[in-house]
Amino acid sequence: MGKVYQRILLKISGEAIMGDMGYGIDSQVVQAVAQEVANVVAEGVQVTIVVGGGNIFRGVRAAAAGMDRVTADYIGMIATVMNALTLQDALEQIGVPTRVQSAIAMQEVAEPYIRRRAVRHLEKGRVVICAAGSGNPFFTTDTTAALRAAEVDAEVIFKATKVDGVYDADPFVDPNARRYQSLNYSHVLTNDLRVMDSTAIALCKENNIPIVVFDLSVQGNIHRAVMGESVGTIVGGYCEVI
Ligand code: UDP
C-alpha cells in the first residue's frame, strides 16, 4: 500500500513533548517523535511541523493571573522557539535535514518564515519546523497550523494529541464516551468539540483541509495515517460515531 499524502502538516502541542512531566521537555519523547517523523520522511512525505509551547508558557493563563495579554502571548510564542530548536536537534541527530522558520525575527537561531522558501525546503526533502506561532498575539499554534497548512498547500493536518481521536464526551471521565470515526467541521464548531480552537477549524473549513486527530504516543501512528489507515478521528468527512 502506498502513501495517501505527499505533503502533511504535523501539529505537535507543547504538552505532547512534555511526556508525563508537569512542565518542560521530555527528551525521550522528543526522540520518539523525531523517529516517527523520520520514518515518514523516508517514504518521501514532505513534512511541515508547527509546534506549540504550552509545556513552557501559555499566554491566556498568564494573562488571567494579571499579566498583560500581549506580552504574555509573545512569551508564549518565544516558548515555541525552544521546542522548535529541540525538535530540530532531535531530527538532525538521526540524519533528517530540517530548517526552523520563525514568525518572530530571530536571525541568529532561525530563518524568518518565508512561505516560498518553506515550500522550497519541502521540495528538497527538508522538514520545515515553524516556530513562534503566527507571530501575532491572540492566536494559537492550532490556528497557525491551519494557516501554514493552507499557505504551503499541505493536504492534511495531523493533530497529535494524547487521546486516540475525538469523543462525544470526555473519555477519561465518561466510560460510555464514543469516539467519532469522522466528523464534519460544522459539527465540531456547533458542539464545541475540543479538536482545535474555532478559528483554526474555521480556517480549515474554508480551505477544505482535513484534520486527522490521533494519539502521538502510539508508535507508528504517523506512518499509519500517512498510509491512509484509520488511526483516530478525521475531521472534514461525514459525521459518524464508531
Ligand atoms: N501564541 C500566540 N500567537 C500564536 C501562537 C501562539 O500568541 O500565533 C502564544 C499563546 O500565548 C499561546 C502560546 O503562544 O498560549 C503557546 O502556544 P499554544 O498554547 O498554541 O501551544 P500548545 O497548546 O500547542 O502547546
Side-chain angles (χ1 to χ4, degrees):
M1 196 164 71
K3 58 182 185 285
V4 172
Y5 302 111
Q6 316 297 319
R7 183 175 288 173
I8 66 168
L9 189 138
L10 176 63
K11 165 67 210 294
I12 303 175
S13 68
E15 276 183 7
I17 53 169
M18 186 168 75
D20 292 329
M21 312 191 313
Y23 178 86
I25 299 167
D26 182 330
S27 59
Q28 278 187 338
V29 174
V30 175
Q31 279 165 24
V33 172
Q35 191 56 58
E36 295 278 302
V37 173
N39 293 346
V40 294
V41 171
E43 298 275 352
V45 178
Q46 299 178 4
V47 183
T48 304
I49 298 176
V50 170
V51 65
N55 56 325
I56 300 170
F57 199 90
R58 268 189 209 287
V60 187
R61 200 177 298 162
M67 190 180 237
D68 171 68
R69 170 71 193 264
V70 175
T71 305
D73 277 343
Y74 278 121
I75 299 172
M77 286 185 265
I78 292 166
T80 73
V81 180
M82 292 196 247
N83 288 334
L85 294 176
T86 306
L87 274 169
Q88 173 172 50
D89 180 74
L91 281 163
E92 297 210 324
Q93 297 277 346
I94 54 173
V96 180
T98 65
R99 293 291 185 275
V100 174
Q101 290 203 342
S102 175
I104 292 176
M106 220 177 274
Q107 63 194 19
E108 284 77 9
V109 293
E111 293 181 3
Y113 172 71
I114 298 170
R115 178 194 161 253
R116 281 170 178 277
R117 226 163 136 177
V119 170
R120 190 80 191 108
H121 289 320
L122 294 175
E123 287 167 352
K124 287 188 171 174
R126 297 171 186 144
V127 172
V128 176
I129 306 171
C130 298
S134 65
N136 303 295
F138 301 104
F139 284 85
T140 63
T141 51
D142 277 354
T143 302
T144 308
L147 176 66
R148 299 293 186 240
E151 285 184 273
V152 305
D153 250 329
E155 295 149 288
V156 63
I157 294 177
F158 284 3
K159 159 86 178 165
T161 64
K162 286 186 157 182
V163 281
D164 62 352
V166 184
Y167 286 77
D168 60 356
D170 187 343
F172 293 111
V173 178
D174 183 348
N176 296 318
R178 290 181 304 169
R179 180 162 64 95
Y180 292 99
Q181 175 81 35
S182 58
L183 273 169
N184 59 38
Y185 305 106
S186 306
H187 192 90
V188 173
L189 290 171
T190 334
N191 295 283
D192 199 20
L193 298 172
R194 301 278 151 91
V195 177
M196 301 206 287
D197 57 85
S198 53
T199 314
I201 298 291
L203 212 49
C204 288
K205 182 172 186 253
E206 264 169 41
N207 294 287
N208 235 327
I209 303 166
I211 308 153
V212 174
V213 182
F214 71 103
D215 185 348
L216 183 65
S217 67
V218 176
Q219 211 186 339
N221 255 354
I222 301 178
H223 191 266
R224 275 191 284 276
V226 160
M227 293 297 162
E229 273 182 53
S230 168
V231 289
T233 300
I234 182 153
V235 179
Y238 295 101
C239 188
E240 175 194 326
V241 177
I242 52 164

